Amino acid sequence: MNNMLRFVLAILLAITCNVFVHGEDPYLFYEWKVTYGTLSPLGVPQKVILINGQFPGPRINGTSNNNVVVNVFNQLDEPLLFTWNGVQQRKNSWQEGTYGTNCPIPPGGNFTYKFQVKDQIGSFYYYPTTSLHRAAGGYGGISVLSRALIPVPFETPEADHMVLVGDWYTKSHTELKSLLDSGRALGRPQGVIINGKSGKGDGKDEPMFTVTPGKTYRFRVCNVGMKDSINVRIQGHTLKLVEIEGSHTVQNVYESLDVHLGQCFSVLVTADQEPKDYFLVASTRFTKEPHFATATIRYANGKGPASPVLPKAPEGWTWSLNQFRSFRWNLTASAARPNPQGSYHYGQINITRTIKLVTSAGKVDGKLRYAVNGVSHVDPTMPIKLAEYYGVGDKVFKYDLIKDEYEPSGKGGQDKITLAPNVVNATYRNFVEIIFENPGKSVQSWHLSGHSFFAVAIEPGKWTPEKRMNYNLLDAVSRNTIQIYPKSWAAVMTTLDNAGLWNLRSTALERQYLGHQLYFSVLSPNYSIKDEFNMPDNDLMCGIIKDMPKPPPYKAN
């Protein structure tokens, strides 16, 4: 029997027996051992969280639609969770890694996260959400490349670097937690670090990056800090912006970029200057005494140290606001799927619901708390998501403690603060407008998990419906984090089309820990696996449902 006849018979047999092969997208496997170690990010020895002995942790480097499997072994002396900041976890809030969605991994235990970077590209990062662990590190970068068949609006760079910048405290995370638990604020951080180090710009630091003259490099810059906005610039070089948090942008060129808490940008930098050393500079913004750090960029075979004269950061937040207004979505670039980003005309969709969130700060029983519409979030005794799934939500939390329309009526614009789990009951697939009002004196930054949103406006003053006339309804960048300047407001628009439980949180560690967060419960009315995955078999159990029988799974109706 010749080979062609064998092939035909095999095809006929497969058809007759209804044998079909379904190929899955590629898998990336990681095994993490999370431990403490002693390092000196700011020159002072302190306890830092390491992943496989590294700080920052290993980079997750994949391609759109890859399946990511991370087996976490918690070798700390406290419970542990990780969240994947910017990864949308489509239909899969079970992997979100917050107190509202997951029982923490106990000391000495392990848990395997499994998620897909479904229809996503861009720059993101992960970090621990338990306790104040983020103040001890435990974070790392996530980069998701476009699939080979989908064009990218720039030439492939010579190399792709992750730059994790942020402020840093020299106190341990347990000391910082004690401060907040006792009712006090954290105060100012002691410095800034870049990829876990704090170069001082004295020419004695080893190079962090090496470049070849004439080549172009991609730098993915994320602010993984706890309190401060960061300005990033490179001596003698310009930054061509190409991506913000999963969206290709119009490729404007900047001398420096303000990167607010939780935000990630990709820039292209061409090594077109005299071959020698240059400093990448990161410094705090909107602080009386700015902290800074440097990282050395060395030209291969270059001669000469970097200039000790560091480029200055801009001043004032008006400059920063104008830079935000210059960011535009690239409507002709392909997205993670083979269609132009601008094919989704968000400006032509009717708003189904407007939610105005007014932030405040005050004291409850003599202790500092932060509130949204008068409610300061506290985590319940078990994850909200599990309580919903097991049908015992009424024993754990209440929906809609806050109103969509809110105006403080108390003395000095400050209402009494209520401590409670803050859960908004959202309608699946509603197109929602969210307004953030910041009456305070410092810049805030907020992140929405599970979704991206269109950042349509930031303006001084208070929001009114007439302000919609000023929205960018054409090419606002689709992203997941937005800053709000002092005594200003910001508006975003999104479709809540991802069933699950999703965290809207301040990216400032102190504010988040003391109540500046809430959850959107986006339940599919069909309880179908077409809309949301079933609870994973390996999910950790805790609280009142620990010994309860598992509910019947969702069906594919």
Side-chain angles (χ1 to χ4, degrees):
M1 187 181 296
N2 61 37
N3 290 337
M4 178 59 70
L5 183 57
R6 286 194 181 96
F7 177 76
V8 171
L9 288 174
I11 294 296
L12 290 173
L13 179 62
I15 294 172
T16 303
C17 299
N18 292 319
V19 175
F20 299 96
V21 177
H22 297 278
E24 280 194 276
D25 288 294
Y27 276 76
L28 304 175
F29 293 94
Y30 299 89
E31 184 175 289
W32 289 357
K33 290 181 172 61
V34 184
T35 61
Y36 288 122
T38 300
L39 294 176
S40 304
L42 288 178
V44 179
Q46 62 186 119
K47 188 162 66 173
V48 174
I49 292 177
L50 309 176
I51 301 176
N52 295 347
Q54 302 175 41
F55 172 63
R59 179 174 172 180
I60 294 176
N61 194 13
T63 301
S64 178
N65 287 0
N66 281 174
N67 294 286
V68 181
V69 180
V70 185
N71 190 4
V72 177
F73 290 84
N74 178 14
Q75 297 179 359
L76 307 182
D77 55 359
E78 298 177 281
L80 178 68
L81 283 172
F82 284 100
T83 197
W84 320 92
N85 205 74
V87 176
Q88 292 181 12
Q89 307 289 4
R90 301 300 298 180
K91 305 194 298 185
N92 197 18
S93 65
W94 304 108
Q95 308 295 327
E96 182 59 27
T98 67
Y99 275 124
T101 55
N102 296 90
C103 299
I105 309 167
N110 83 292
F111 177 74
T112 301
Y113 292 91
K114 179 183 176 183
F115 56 88
Q116 186 178 26
V117 284
K118 180 68 175 172
D119 293 329
Q120 283 192 266
I121 56 170
S123 308
F124 316 105
Y125 67 99
Y126 60 84
Y127 68 88
T129 56
T130 37
S131 185
L132 253 67
H133 286 138
R134 181 158 54 126
Y139 55 72
I142 303 173
S143 54
V144 184
L145 299 174
S146 179
R147 286 173 283 175
L149 297 178
I150 300 176
V152 174
F154 50 87
E155 295 295 323
T156 302
E158 182 71 10
D160 186 321
H161 298 300
M162 186 67 71
V163 183
L164 302 178
V165 302
D167 50 25
W168 188 260
Y169 291 89
T170 53
K171 290 186 175 70
S172 70
H173 74 280
T174 52
E175 290 177 285
L176 296 175
K177 182 176 181 297
S178 295
L179 282 174
L180 296 183
D181 289 343
S182 67
R184 292 174 288 174
L186 293 184
R188 302 237 53 92
Q190 279 70 57
V192 170
I193 57 176
I194 303 172
N195 289 347
K197 298 179 181 179
S198 59
K200 297 304 181 185
D202 58 4
K204 298 179 181 179
D205 299 311
E206 289 297 316
M208 188 173 289
F209 308 105
T210 300
V211 298
T212 300
K215 300 295 185 179
T216 297
Y217 296 81
R218 182 174 186 168
F219 289 84
R220 300 174 187 262
V221 183
C222 295
N223 185 343
V224 297
M226 292 162 274
K227 196 178 187 75
D228 294 320
S229 299
I230 300 287
N231 181 268
V232 175
R233 59 262 188 210
I234 299 176
Q235 281 180 329
H237 295 73
T238 56
L239 312 175
K240 180 184 284 188
L241 182 66
V242 295
E243 177 250 338
I244 297 177
E245 296 166 24
S247 291
H248 291 126
T249 61
V250 172
Q251 295 179 12
N252 297 328
V253 176
Y254 300 91
E255 296 291 330
S256 69
L257 281 170
D258 274 357
V259 187
H260 303 279
L261 286 173
Q263 296 181 355
C264 292
F265 297 99
S266 280
V267 296
L268 297 182
V269 178
T270 300
D272 56 3
Q273 300 299 306
E274 176 189 351
K276 63 186 191 73
D277 287 358
Y278 296 87
F279 287 131
L280 183 155
V281 185
S283 62
T284 57
R285 289 275 274 131
F286 323 119
T287 56
K288 290 183 179 180
E289 297 294 333
H291 294 298
F292 75 94
T294 62
T296 301
I297 298 175
R298 176 164 295 171
Y299 276 62
N301 300 319
K303 295 181 180 179
S307 168
V309 180
L310 302 181
K312 292 183 179 180
E315 297 181 358
W317 61 264
T318 301
W319 183 94
S320 189
L321 172 58
N322 288 332
Q323 184 171 81
F324 163 80
R325 289 171 173 164
S326 73
F327 298 151
R328 291 289 187 267
W329 207 26
N330 187 338
L331 301 184
T332 61
S334 292
R337 291 180 288 182
N339 59 295
Q341 293 181 143
S343 62
Y344 180 72
H345 300 293
Y346 67 94
Q348 300 176 16
I349 303 174
N350 291 329
I351 297 168
T352 311
R353 182 178 181 183
T354 297
I355 303 173
K356 186 173 78 168
L357 303 175
V358 182
T359 62
S360 62
K363 290 192 174 182
V364 178
D365 297 328
K367 295 183 178 182
L368 175 64
R369 295 295 304 188
Y370 294 96
V372 178
N373 290 9
V375 176
S376 182
H377 176 81
V378 293
D379 292 306
T381 55
M382 62 167 292
I384 296 163
K385 180 62 183 171
L386 286 177
E388 283 186 328
Y389 192 73
Y390 276 78
V392 294
D394 58 337
K395 298 179 181 178
V396 176
F397 67 94
K398 293 181 180 179
Y399 291 108
D400 297 326
L401 292 181
I402 62 173
K403 298 177 181 179
D404 287 3
E405 293 293 328
Y406 177 80
E407 196 66 41
S409 57
K411 184 178 179 181
Q414 175 67 61
D415 286 344
K416 179 182 177 182
I417 293 176
T418 300
L419 302 182
N422 199 351
V423 186
V424 174
N425 193 3
T427 302
Y428 184 47
R429 292 180 176 163
N430 265 9
F431 189 67
V432 176
E433 173 189 47
I434 304 173
I435 311 298
F436 299 90
E437 273 195 7
N438 173 16
K441 298 179 180 179
S442 59
V443 176
Q444 296 183 18
S445 182
W446 286 76
H447 166 83
L448 176 62
S449 67
H451 301 78
S452 60
F453 50 60
F454 297 96
V456 295
I458 302 177
E459 289 191 0
K462 300 184 71 173
W463 180 87
T464 62
E466 292 73 29
K467 300 291 187 180
R468 293 188 180 116
M469 296 290 292
N470 301 334
Y471 285 5
N472 177 358
L473 297 180
L474 176 64
D475 58 359
V477 177
S478 175
R479 55 192 303 183
N480 56 67
T481 307
I482 185 73
Q483 73 270 19
I484 312 98
Y485 298 100
K487 299 189 182 304
S488 301
W489 58 269
V492 303
M493 303 167 113
T494 188
T495 302
L496 297 177
D497 60 352
N498 193 11
L501 187 81
W502 306 108
N503 194 209
L504 177 66
R505 57 181 176 263
S506 169
T507 54
L509 184 58
E510 175 182 295
R511 290 176 175 271
Q512 184 186 132
Y513 185 81
L514 294 180
H516 256 181
Q517 59 174 305
L518 57 84
Y519 285 89
F520 283 112
S521 174
V522 185
L523 295 175
S524 166
N526 298 321
Y527 296 98
S528 168
I529 59 172
K530 291 182 179 178
D531 299 329
E532 183 177 10
F533 296 150
N534 281 301
M535 184 179 76
D537 291 335
N538 71 326
D539 218 18
L540 299 173
M541 298 291 104
C542 57
I544 61 175
I545 57 93
K546 188 173 183 179
D547 298 316
M548 292 175 62
K550 192 173 181 179
Y554 297 150
K555 298 179 180 179
N557 54 357

